[in-house]
Amino acid sequence: QVQLVESGGGLVQPGGSLRLSCVGSGIIFSFYNMGWYRQAPGSQRELVAKITRGGNTNYADYTDSVKGRFTISRDNAKNTVYLQMNGLKPEDTAVYYCNADHPLRGEVYWGQGTQVTVSS
């Protein structure tokens, strides 16, 4: 059974930081590109950050609104992808979802999400 389990969300004041984690099981984690998405109330789900599966080459990309504030990373030995979130703003408030995407097989998996609330 494939599972992606997010953790690390919570309530934080503007300017604060959180680190989200996503642990995968039931897949060969290193074969998958990983991403973080978010969905705010009344909004569509949007891509926040993505990171390639590694090996000899890997890359990370971010949506413009989080560049310079968020960092995505992965530890394949731990089957985990992280999202370090610094300088949080109220508009970052959303449910954050972990995504795993096999670049060849077309297999896509989602976690159930973790709530991030940025408020004073």
Side-chain angles (χ1 to χ4, degrees):
Q1 182 177 343
V2 176
Q3 284 191 305
L4 300 175
V5 180
E6 302 98 334
S7 63
L11 175 64
V12 64
Q13 295 187 77
S17 298
L18 288 172
R19 189 180 73 161
L20 306 183
S21 299
C22 171
V23 179
S25 61
I27 59 172
I28 302 175
F29 188 84
S30 62
F31 286 6
Y32 287 76
N33 297 322
M34 303 298 298
W36 287 96
Y37 292 72
R38 67 187 180 188
Q39 186 168 11
S43 300
Q44 296 296 307
R45 184 176 61 192
E46 66 172 351
L47 175 68
V48 178
K50 59 183 178 181
I51 188 167
T52 57
R53 62 181 180 173
N56 295 122
T57 59
N58 61 81
Y59 302 95
D61 285 297
Y62 306 87
T63 191
D64 286 344
S65 64
V66 308
K67 286 181 178 178
R69 299 188 297 121
F70 291 9
T71 302
I72 188 171
S73 61
R74 66 192 296 163
D75 186 341
N76 289 338
K78 296 181 178 180
N79 291 347
T80 302
V81 62
Y82 304 95
L83 186 67
Q84 179 66 47
M85 309 165 66
N86 299 326
L88 284 162
K89 304 175 180 180
E91 52 262 44
D92 295 318
T93 296
V95 177
Y96 284 71
Y97 297 92
C98 180
N99 167 270
D101 180 3
H102 195 292
L104 299 178
R105 295 184 181 273
E107 299 171 351
V108 179
Y109 302 101
W110 294 93
Q112 291 189 320
T114 185
Q115 177 71 49
V116 172
T117 302
V118 184
S119 177
S120 60

